[in-house]
Structures are given as structure tokens and as C-alpha cells.
Amino acid sequence: MPATDTTIAQPAVSVIVPARNEEASLGACLESLASQRGVAFEIIVVDDHSTDRTREIAESFGDQRVRLIEAGPLPAGWTGKNNAVTAGAKAATGQWLLFTDADTIHLPGSLARGVDEAQRHRAAMLSYSPEQVVKTFWEKAIMPVIFAELAATFRPSRVSDPNSPAAAANGQYILITREAYDAIGGHAAIASSLLEDVALARAVKRSGRKIFFRYGAGAVRTRMYRSFAQLREGWTKNLALLFPSVARLAALRAIEFVLIISSFAIAIASAFRSHWRSAEIAALVCAIVYALFLTRIRRAHFSWDSDIVAVLGLPLFSYLLLRSARAHANGSVPWKGRTYSDERVLLATGH
């Protein structure tokens, strides 16, 4: 693998960044990518009909390895992201393609290490689940709950096992060989999928090629949402597609929340009234259920303060699950100014 960072004629890696109204994060993302060392690469920013300063930021970025292209018209039946990354892939010349989102930050040396890790594991696709940056109460409460469920549903050990049918990837970081990408038909083969990362991983595994999937702390981090409105819209798009039994999962997490809060309240109230036996039983129930909750949440790799706040995210998670299921059932899933139907067919582009 060449280590000439400035060589762009035949880059080893083509980094493809789809961007739709990403002025808040694109600059930092490009800086983190342009500072990579140890592997030759190009960066292709695909402007997906942005109406903010996204295009200006990409055009003014002072690095010859950064190219800006247009996503082009959105074909009927395609999602915006699939259209954008397909345009980027067509323009790419690298042996490897890295699909990454504009809200990601790539740690120094991570690109070269990622290629090396994929090659060591003989994987046609490597995907990292980025370290999640959470700052607001809503992020700290909801994100650990969701990622704990994702960790349980899409176990990295099973996804990385060629003998297991489990397949998954995180669209914020997908590194795939050009050969494998073309062989499975690329994103054009999953053009209508709103859950394009998992769909792409399933196609790779069905083709008999290997996936390597893991938590990506030390390689990439991201802050997915900066407000509750963004968080609600993003998870409304995805949750009903990620979990097989939405209503059951929503009920289980709501019951878990009620058990923790009600047993805690009963323990406190009983202690004030000197009903020690009742207080002890309620406290024991609370401790057991909360310990099981924390054990599950810790697998999501968030800080302790987020894990503690996350108990308040249980009912919010149930709400988002049901909201997502309803949006898909009604055939009206909004995402970044576009609306998709339950068949994943574009209804309106907003342009």
C-alpha cells in the first residue's frame, strides 16, 4: 500500500462524502480526512441539492485532493443518499471506497489503519460504528438506549462471522473494495432502501464475501443530531426498519421504565412511613431491574453520566419506535426535506 499522501492520480482510497445541508459539520469532517497519512486517497464531496453553505465550504477547501461534484437529478424510486453516493462512486478511481457522512470526524491515521485492518481480516467490507458524541439532555437520554438495542440486534461477532447470516454496517463508515462494490451492483441495487447501510451489507454477505464490523472508537466519531427535532426525524426514519418487532420492543422498554420508577417511588414512600419490609422489597426490585438495564446500556459505549440519564430515555425510545412504525405504515417518512413512502419510493423532493 503506497504511503504517498499527495499522490492523487491513482488513489488507493476514494472517500465519498454525501452532503445535503451540512454546513455545520462538513468543514471539520474534511479537515479530519485531509490530514490523514499513510495511504493515498482522494475525497469526493457530493452536493445533494444543498440550500445552505455546504457547496461553498467544499469549493473553498484548500486541498487538491478534495473534489466537489453534483448528485444530479433524483430518479424516481431512489432515496437521496443512494443517488448521491452512487454519483460519488461513479467519479471515484480508488481500489477502495470509503462511504462516510459529513458529520463524522476521522482520527489521525485511521484511514490507513482501516485499510490495513480490512486486509488483515480479508474482508471485502469493513464498517465501524463510530464513537457517538452526545451533549444535550435528549442525546444523552435516548442515544445510549438505541445503541444498546442495536448492539444486541446486530452483534459484531455474528456480523463478522462468515458462517452467520447476520449482516449489518453503519453508513457513517463503510470501507469496501471497488471489486466487491461493483459485483453486488453498488447502491444502485438498493436504490429505494432507506436503510442503505444494512441493505448493502446484506448484499455483500449474500455474495459470499466477508464483512468485518466493530465499534470504531479510536478511528471515527460523530455527533449525529444537534437538536431534538433532528433526532426525532432521523430515528423516525430508521427505527421501524432496524428492529423486527417494534410494538413488542416499545412495550418492553415502557414496562422496564415503569418498573424502575415505580419501585423506586414505592421504596422511598414506604421508608418515610416506616414500612421497612415494603421498602426493602421495592428497593430490591428497583435494584435488580436497574442493574439489568445498566448492564445492557454499558454495551453501547457511552459515558457513565449518559448511562445514568438513559433511564429517562426508555419512554422516549418507546415513543420513537411507535412514531417510526406509524410513519412507515402511513407512507409518509420525512427526511431532510424529502418525503418517502412505506415502499421507500420518493413522493416529494422539496425542489
Side-chain angles (χ1 to χ4, degrees), residues 293-305:
F293 165 77
L294 274 183
T295 299
R296 187 177 72 252
I297 291 297
R298 288 300 296 163
R299 295 171 185 159
H301 304 288
F302 285 80
S303 61
W304 273 104
D305 62 325

Side-chain angles (χ1 to χ4, degrees), residues 85-253:
V85 293
T86 297
K90 288 178 180 177
T93 58
Q95 301 163 346
W96 290 84
L97 306 177
L98 172 61
F99 298 100
T100 190
D101 288 350
D103 56 9
T104 54
I105 299 294
H106 299 256
L107 277 63
S110 61
L111 184 57
R113 292 196 302 271
V115 172
D116 179 68
E117 186 171 18
Q119 291 176 330
R120 282 190 288 107
H121 288 278
R122 298 182 179 181
M125 171 191 281
L126 175 143
S127 182
Y128 294 139
S129 180
E131 175 186 356
Q132 297 294 324
V133 177
V134 291
K135 295 185 178 182
T136 66
F137 164 78
W138 301 110
E139 293 170 275
K140 291 182 178 182
I142 300 173
M143 297 291 277
V145 177
I146 293 175
F147 275 86
E149 296 294 343
L150 290 174
T153 303
F154 302 101
R155 296 183 183 276
S157 59
R158 293 183 58 203
V159 172
S160 301
D161 182 359
N163 297 316
S164 169
N170 188 308
Q172 294 162 331
Y173 194 106
I174 293 178
L175 181 66
I176 184 171
T177 65
R178 181 86 216 203
E179 181 276 331
Y181 185 78
D182 290 343
I184 63 173
H187 287 85
I190 54 167
S192 64
S193 176
L194 283 171
L195 201 62
E196 79 290 331
D197 46 9
V198 176
L200 194 70
R202 287 171 177 162
V204 169
K205 211 157 196 186
R206 282 197 303 267
S207 74
R209 294 171 172 82
K210 186 177 180 182
I211 298 172
F212 187 74
F213 180 48
R214 71 169 176 86
Y215 175 54
V220 60
R221 64 173 180 262
T222 183
R223 185 181 181 191
M224 291 179 64
Y225 307 114
R226 297 168 185 266
S227 68
F228 180 74
Q230 290 179 356
L231 185 151
R232 181 177 59 187
E233 183 179 69
W235 289 120
T236 295
K237 174 176 73 77
N238 288 336
L239 287 181
L241 304 176
L242 286 166
F243 302 111
S245 183
V246 171
R248 178 177 177 273
L249 183 57
L252 285 174
R253 295 299 161 248

